[in-house]
Amino acid sequence: NPIDDLRFRITQSRDIRAPNLNDLFAPGVLGHGSITDPFKGNITAPYNSASLGNTALVPEKADTTGLGVVYQPGWFQGFSASFDYYDIRLHGAISSPNATTIMTQCYAGVTIYCPLIIRDSKGVLQEIDTKPVNAATLWVRGFDIEASYRTRLDSIVDTWSGDLSV
């Protein structure tokens, strides 16, 4: 019966990853640079930077679905093949954007980045805080195909010992 040679699998999970200690409490590194400021007509503006942790981070959450089939034919001992489909959707992924990403994304209307840009009362750029944020949504789906063959070496040559895996 060919169905005896097949195994099916399905997985549905909710996966959670909490921010690590560095994401939350990095002590900070100060720096400075210059950046094109699209809010001010694309002038090049100097800024100070602070790269530090963010205690407002929340855990990342992913919904994962996997469907697969494994074929181990009885007529071909030691052979196995699998075919899997996966779909992973990650929400609130923790990312550590650089100053350029923060500026361009805020200008594009992604408001989570805007509080990281600090200006004085006249609107002059003062600082860009490059700290981790729950900004990214990632979605990946695809297929994974695998095949293997394993046999004892003495089935090939009587005097050999061990296993052969391909």
Side-chain angles (χ1 to χ4, degrees), residues 37-104:
D37 189 345
F39 293 98
K40 300 291 183 182
N42 289 324
I43 64 165
T44 300
Y47 70 95
N48 293 315
S49 67
S51 180
L52 55 146
N54 182 356
T55 57
L57 291 172
V58 297
E60 301 172 331
K61 295 179 183 171
D63 294 307
T64 302
T65 301
L67 304 167
V69 61
V70 178
Y71 179 56
Q72 294 177 305
W75 57 269
F76 189 14
Q77 292 296 318
F79 178 78
S80 178
S82 65
F83 179 83
D84 292 284
Y85 167 78
Y86 58 88
D87 184 313
I88 304 168
R89 296 168 193 240
L90 177 61
H91 307 284
I94 297 169
S95 65
S96 296
N98 62 33
T100 302
T101 299
I102 292 168
M103 183 66 76
T104 57

Side-chain angles (χ1 to χ4, degrees), residues 1-165:
N1 186 358
I3 200 74
D4 292 337
D5 296 342
L6 292 176
R7 285 182 297 149
F8 299 93
R9 54 185 169 208
I10 184 169
T11 305
Q12 178 68 49
S13 66
R14 163 59 64 99
D15 308 301
I16 299 171
R17 184 189 80 87
N20 64 41
L21 291 175
N22 193 58
D23 290 337
L24 295 168
F25 304 111
V29 176
L30 301 178
H32 60 277
S34 60
I35 193 167
T36 301
D37 189 345
F39 293 98
K40 300 291 183 182
N42 289 324
I43 64 165
T44 300
Y47 70 95
N48 293 315
S49 67
S51 180
L52 55 146
N54 182 356
T55 57
L57 291 172
V58 297
E60 301 172 331
K61 295 179 183 171
D63 294 307
T64 302
T65 301
L67 304 167
V69 61
V70 178
Y71 179 56
Q72 294 177 305
W75 57 269
F76 189 14
Q77 292 296 318
F79 178 78
S80 178
S82 65
F83 179 83
D84 292 284
Y85 167 78
Y86 58 88
D87 184 313
I88 304 168
R89 296 168 193 240
L90 177 61
H91 307 284
I94 297 169
S95 65
S96 296
N98 62 33
T100 302
T101 299
I102 292 168
M103 183 66 76
T104 57
Q105 290 298 304
C106 177
Y107 187 72
V110 184
T111 58
I112 193 166
Y113 293 103
C114 297
L116 303 176
I117 301 170
I118 301 165
R119 298 179 184 276
D120 68 13
S121 60
K122 296 178 183 170
V124 176
L125 180 62
Q126 298 294 305
E127 183 176 319
I128 299 176
D129 290 339
T130 55
K131 61 184 177 181
V133 291
N134 289 103
T137 297
L138 305 172
W139 179 30
V140 63
R141 62 182 172 176
F143 300 97
D144 183 37
I145 302 168
E146 183 178 315
S148 65
Y149 176 69
R150 183 177 182 136
T151 189
R152 297 193 43 82
L153 286 174
D154 60 9
S155 69
I156 300 170
V157 176
D158 291 337
T159 58
W160 290 356
S161 62
D163 293 323
L164 171 67
S165 297

